[in-house]
Amino acid sequence: QVQLVESGGGLVQAGGSLRLSCAASGSIFSINAMGWYRQSPGKQRELVALITSGGSTNYADSVKGRFTISRDNAKNTVYLQMNSLKPEDTAVYYCNVNGWPEFGTRWSDYWGQGTQVTVSS
């Protein structure tokens, strides 16, 4: 079993900052890419930011220059630093990890439970 535990969401005023964390634990042998997605009511889940095992990053155009993704491989943890938040950033944010489970036979995707981020105007 692989578990992803997210933290750091909350309510913040426009222009403020939040930092999300997601720690992977359990029977995971290796981790490839780690990322953050978000979903707001009535919309599809969308990629916010992605970081590969080598440290390469990719961002949605809407968050470039405001959000920074990073990871601590020793802790199997991925972070999302969100600055200059806007009301349109309001959503449930989900952590995603692409990992190889112990005794597994292929790379698999794992999801966190989601954390609410609300930005007030």
Side-chain angles (χ1 to χ4, degrees), residues 20-80:
L20 305 183
S21 300
C22 173
S25 63
S27 304
I28 191 162
F29 176 73
S30 181
I31 293 178
N32 189 9
M34 307 178 84
W36 290 95
Y37 290 72
R38 68 186 181 187
Q39 187 169 20
S40 51
K43 294 187 178 180
Q44 288 189 332
R45 190 173 296 188
E46 63 174 354
L47 174 68
V48 176
L50 187 76
I51 184 167
T52 68
S53 57
S56 297
T57 59
N58 186 35
Y59 295 94
D61 288 343
S62 60
V63 307
K64 283 181 181 177
R66 300 188 297 122
F67 291 10
T68 302
I69 190 170
S70 60
R71 61 191 283 172
D72 184 334
N73 292 328
K75 296 181 179 179
N76 286 345
T77 299
V78 61
Y79 306 97
L80 185 68

